[in-house]
Amino acid sequence: MTTARSAFRCLLGDQEIALDAFDGQQTLLDFLRLNQGLTGTKEGCAEGDCGACTVLLGRTENNQLHYQPVNACIIPLGTVDSTQVLTVEHLADPQPHPVQLEMANAHGSQCGFCTPGFVMSLAALHYACDSNDFTVGRETINDALAGNLCRCTGYGPIITAAEQALVQPIPDHCRSLQALGIQTLNKWASDDTYLQTNNAANIFAAPTSLADLTELMQALPEAQLIAGATDVGLWITKQHRRFDSMIYLGQVAELKQIHRNDQEVQIGAALTLAQSLETLQDLAPDLGTLLHRFGSRQVRAQATLGGNIANGSPIGDLAPALIALDATLHLVGPNGERTLALEDFFIDYGHQDRAAGEIIRMIGVPTQGHKYFHCWKVSKRFDQDISAVCGAFNLQLDNGIITSARIAFGGMAGTVQRAHQCESALVGKSADGSALDSGAKALAQDFSPITDARASADYRMHAARGLLERYLGTISNKAPDLLYPANAAPVLSAHG
Ligand SMILES: Cc1cc2nc3c(=O)[nH]c(=O)nc-3n(C[C@H](O)[C@H](O)[C@H](O)COP(=O)(O)OP(=O)(O)OC[C@H]3O[C@@H](n4cnc5c(N)ncnc54)[C@H](O)[C@@H]3O)c2cc1C
Ligand code: FES
Ligand code: FES
């Protein structure tokens, strides 16, 4: 039985922090800089884009401590309860970390705002290299740095610094921090308490079981639910919204599990994208490729599958792919559990099929029927950018003839939607070319996209047709895979 605990706690470097009164929605960045005087961590954009505020967040899993780089600027402090936080100051004490030394040696340091963020991203990779036996190549280094945007002094020296640092052992003081982290986090995990503060600023609760979550949601029906806060964090920093009460989903055990049966893999809604990466990648390699382009490593370390669906965004990247894969949504609320096809969840722009008090518990993805599944994201930048268009295709073929089709697009309408007309136009045709013309014409009946800052309506329509062409070419072996060569680097999982 878990009991509520009113004091917030975390391990900041090697220091146990306990706060009886705290503002649950204060950002981790403000806490570090304003309350703790750790000003090495900088604020650049305050919206998760630039990486200047990168710190390491340590969480235990199977008795091991994994450090992930996260953007402190959009993390509400309450969500780091019972974790370890490392900042650039901790890396440098008592002597500089190999990443810091090599950044100086290779002339890789940037301005004072950006350099600490680069150092922290590379330090995360340094820790990950220690617990994995993959060879780190440039692609992996680039992936680790994708969330650190500004390179006023160039890319080359930073990569050189990384290459030189990553082959060096983890310094003793960093190993000690890790050992203390495991010890402290395990001690906290065994006391069966969860954070629930109710102070002058607001109520913040971080339940650890579905039963406690349900009770809290009944007691606080207006509470803002938070998972990775990569959307909600920006409501705080950019829209200056205040919440009287918040409930954090990221510690609810039942929302963090993965179950498999013959038909489907069920992925807990509060697992981060980094934590679900391996499972999704195993199901369909293109899902791994898509996730590789989702935000940055920092964003993937925080953002959850459930949050990406619950926000109902028409340009959310996972919904088109999961709809094409015929995924289902498992919701739980005051009236019990229900399951619905993911495509039926999105009713209209800003309107989803989620009753008051309901949460997404997990997402079920069929284990079969995706031999010909592919998806592609089109955005202005390769990394760290939101889609203009995202297309996902899943045809069934019999002797080269299309027998059924599931095609979904993001960025083409007010919600992520299936291309029903296009699907019908394809069925019965040969995948080897003859389907393209009628499929492309039908797309124009499916969608009337809008023009906005990301793309014009015309561009979106052309891009969607182009993706259809690319898909048909790919499954009939007519298009070379230009963007993702076979020797692309492995995407790092939650553990590295
Ligand atoms: C720098 C940056 C880059 C980004 N890049 C991308 C990108 O490439 N592709 C993309 O699709 N998105 C991107 N996003 C948007 C965002 O990261 C995703 O939508 C993310 O998946 C949201 O998940 P979260 O856990 O952070 O949600 P939160 O911010 O915690 O919550 C979002 C909403 O979902 C609700 N919610 C969360 N979990 C549940 C649940 N289990 N049940 C019911 N409601 C729930 C919350 O109450 C809230 O209303 C980016 C954001 C940033 C800041
Ligand atoms: S300040 Fe830019 S990502 Fe946090
Ligand atoms: S603004 Fe800091 S390196 Fe460019």
Side-chain angles (χ1 to χ4, degrees):
M1 183 65 193
T2 49
T3 48
R5 156 177 51 83
S6 61
F8 165 88
R9 66 192 178 191
C10 77
L11 187 63
L12 184 55
D14 61 0
Q15 256 202 315
E16 282 191 34
I17 303 282
L19 302 174
D20 278 323
F22 83 110
D23 175 357
Q25 78 170 62
Q26 180 185 32
T27 63
L28 174 59
L29 179 64
D30 279 352
F31 171 72
L32 293 173
R33 289 180 58 85
L34 306 179
N35 297 41
Q36 298 295 315
L38 294 172
T39 51
T41 310
K42 300 293 192 278
E43 181 175 83
C45 64
E47 59 185 48
D49 266 321
C50 73
C53 64
T54 305
V55 298
L56 302 192
L57 200 60
R59 296 190 178 103
T60 46
E61 210 178 294
N62 303 328
N63 218 20
Q64 293 204 341
L65 185 69
H66 301 289
Y67 291 112
Q68 289 281 357
V70 294
N71 292 317
C73 67
I74 51 171
I75 297 192
L77 181 60
T79 67
V80 305
D81 182 68
S82 300
T83 67
Q84 185 182 27
V85 178
L86 299 186
T87 67
V88 71
E89 288 89 348
H90 301 123
L91 294 190
D93 183 23
Q95 73 267 346
H97 187 280
V99 167
Q100 292 170 309
L101 286 172
E102 297 304 339
M103 282 284 274
N105 291 340
H107 304 289
S109 56
Q110 311 286 296
C111 77
F113 280 90
C114 303
T115 303
F118 280 96
V119 167
M120 295 312 287
S121 292
L122 290 177
L125 186 59
H126 196 250
Y127 266 120
C129 289
D130 190 51
S131 52
N132 286 271
D133 58 356
F134 60 83
T135 314
V136 174
R138 283 201 162 212
E139 289 298 325
T140 307
I141 294 170
N142 281 337
D143 182 59
L145 292 174
N148 297 85
L149 279 191
C150 189
R151 321 269 164 108
C152 291
T153 62
Y155 290 65
I158 304 173
I159 292 169
T160 305
E163 285 170 338
Q164 284 163 6
L166 291 170
V167 291
Q168 297 178 37
I170 298 203
D172 288 345
H173 68 282
C174 290
R175 283 213 188 280
S176 305
L177 285 171
Q178 197 174 19
L180 182 65
I182 296 175
Q183 194 188 324
T184 311
L185 267 54
N186 281 344
K187 176 186 75 180
W188 286 340
S190 65
D191 75 3
D192 275 345
T193 62
Y194 70 87
L195 175 65
Q196 188 185 347
T197 55
N198 185 354
N199 51 51
N202 44 35
I203 300 173
F204 189 98
T208 50
S209 72
L210 199 51
D212 289 331
L213 170 65
T214 309
E215 217 169 275
L216 278 161
M217 286 179 68
Q218 275 163 8
L220 301 166
E222 304 299 323
Q224 174 62 48
L225 297 179
I226 308 175
T230 57
D231 288 323
V232 176
L234 276 69
W235 303 348
I236 295 170
T237 60
K238 294 290 157 174
Q239 296 173 7
H240 305 291
R241 281 167 70 176
R242 292 288 310 170
F243 305 113
D244 291 336
S245 51
M246 285 159 286
I247 300 178
Y248 175 51
L249 304 175
Q251 293 192 8
V252 179
E254 291 90 334
L255 304 186
K256 305 218 50 148
Q257 293 162 352
I258 296 179
H259 298 288
R260 286 183 179 77
N261 60 37
D262 288 346
Q263 280 81 43
E264 64 175 13
V265 176
Q266 298 170 340
I267 303 168
L271 283 166
T272 64
L273 300 182
Q275 287 167 331
S276 19
L277 175 71
E278 266 168 15
T279 306
L280 291 169
Q281 199 163 241
D282 283 352
L283 271 168
D286 267 35
L287 282 179
T289 310
L290 180 69
L291 279 181
H292 178 84
R293 295 197 52 208
F294 192 117
S296 61
R297 214 156 135 62
Q298 286 92 323
V299 171
R300 297 193 292 272
Q302 281 174 247
T304 63
L305 218 56
N308 197 234
I309 288 163
N311 69 16
S313 167
I315 44 172
D317 278 337
L318 287 172
L322 293 172
I323 288 175
L325 289 167
D326 203 7
T328 50
L329 218 50
H330 300 247
L331 295 134
V332 58
N335 299 322
E337 293 216 32
R338 69 186 174 107
T339 304
L340 78 161
L342 175 57
E343 66 196 89
D344 295 336
F345 182 68
F346 303 108
I347 297 171
D348 207 344
Y349 180 74
H351 182 198
Q352 295 86 42
D353 182 0
R354 188 164 76 83
E358 262 188 336
I359 56 147
I360 301 172
R361 178 176 178 168
M362 59 199 173
I363 294 98
V365 189
T367 52
Q368 304 295 326
H370 28 82
K371 183 174 172 194
Y372 297 108
F373 169 77
H374 287 289
C375 59
W376 291 281
K377 162 174 178 168
V378 179
S379 58
K380 287 183 177 169
R381 273 195 315 240
F382 185 85
D383 293 308
Q384 185 79 304
D385 204 358
I386 306 283
S387 291
V389 175
C390 186
F393 306 82
N394 193 17
L395 300 192
Q396 306 303 318
L397 301 182
D398 187 6
N399 275 330
I401 302 299
I402 300 165
T403 54
S404 70
R406 293 186 68 87
I407 298 175
F409 279 96
M412 295 292 288
T415 61
V416 172
Q417 263 180 34
R418 274 179 77 177
H420 287 293
Q421 306 272 1
C422 177
E423 291 173 357
S424 306
L426 295 182
V427 172
K429 307 247 169 20
S430 160
D432 192 10
S434 70
L436 179 60
D437 198 35
S438 42
K441 278 193 190 119
L443 270 182
Q445 295 166 322
D446 278 313
F447 299 113
S448 311
I450 56 159
T451 294
D452 65 11
R454 292 183 211 292
S456 67
D458 219 26
Y459 178 89
R460 288 192 153 101
M461 212 59 232
H462 273 85
R465 284 194 202 121
L467 292 182
L468 175 65
E469 182 173 2
R470 181 178 185 162
Y471 174 72
L472 292 171
T474 302
I475 61 168
S476 53
N477 293 320
K478 286 196 165 169
D481 201 341
L482 296 173
L483 277 178
Y484 307 109
N487 61 356
V491 180
L492 294 176
S493 72
H495 304 184

